[in-house]
Amino acid sequence: MHASFFAARLVALAAIASVVSGQGLQAGCDRNATVRSGDTCDAISARHNVSTYQLAAVNSKIIDPGCDNLFIGQVLCLGISDQDCNVTHVMQTGDTCQSVANATGIPINTLLTNNPNVNTICTNVYAGEVLCTSSQIYVHL
């Protein structure tokens, strides 16, 4: 019994180590971050200049839709080669898509294209969400 318990713990530790070491990150991952205590997807996105959408898209196999399965030490990909928007804006109370587009000097259509999670009338954004505000249009995953 002790041997099987030990073997099961060893397998579990190996699985955790493979996730923590970054194995399983999407091919072409240019940059990554390690989850810290208290992190949320929005906090990670703001700290590393990556949109909330991009963080979720490039980690869709390991982050659930509600982003409530993060754990300390987990390694997340922040961007994929040639598809990595690192020009961002953290939405504040009162911001609109048009005000963000105006402030960053990009057309509203570019803002919406780079943030396909945002609806065309921009009613589903929230304070703390991080949007890509690059003038370059990126390929979406």
Side-chain angles (χ1 to χ4, degrees):
M1 176 167 159
H2 292 292
S4 64
F5 178 73
F6 178 73
R9 290 187 99 190
L10 193 55
V11 169
L13 286 173
I16 292 169
S18 72
V19 172
V20 171
S21 69
Q23 293 177 6
L25 291 180
Q26 185 159 337
C29 183
D30 268 352
R31 54 191 180 118
N32 60 56
T34 302
V35 176
R36 303 186 309 202
S37 178
D39 269 347
T40 63
C41 284
D42 288 334
I44 293 167
S45 293
R47 187 169 58 247
H48 296 284
N49 293 318
V50 59
S51 73
T52 303
Y53 166 78
Q54 181 173 297
L55 182 69
V58 300
N59 294 286
S60 63
K61 293 181 181 175
I62 57 175
I63 298 177
D64 67 19
C67 192
D68 55 11
N69 65 330
L70 299 177
F71 59 87
I72 296 170
Q74 183 177 26
V75 178
L76 301 176
C77 181
L78 299 176
I80 304 298
S81 298
D82 300 322
Q83 300 177 39
D84 185 6
C85 177
N86 60 8
V87 180
T88 60
H89 172 81
V90 180
M91 295 296 287
Q92 305 296 316
T93 302
D95 280 351
T96 65
C97 287
Q98 191 62 59
S99 70
V100 170
N102 291 346
T104 58
I106 62 172
I108 187 73
N109 288 341
T110 300
L111 181 73
L112 294 173
T113 299
N114 278 333
N115 299 281
N117 56 312
V118 177
N119 65 33
T120 57
I121 56 174
C122 201
T123 56
N124 64 333
V125 295
Y126 56 89
E129 182 172 10
V130 183
L131 300 182
C132 171
T133 54
S134 175
S135 60
Q136 177 180 341
I137 294 181
Y138 287 89
V139 177
H140 297 292
L141 307 169

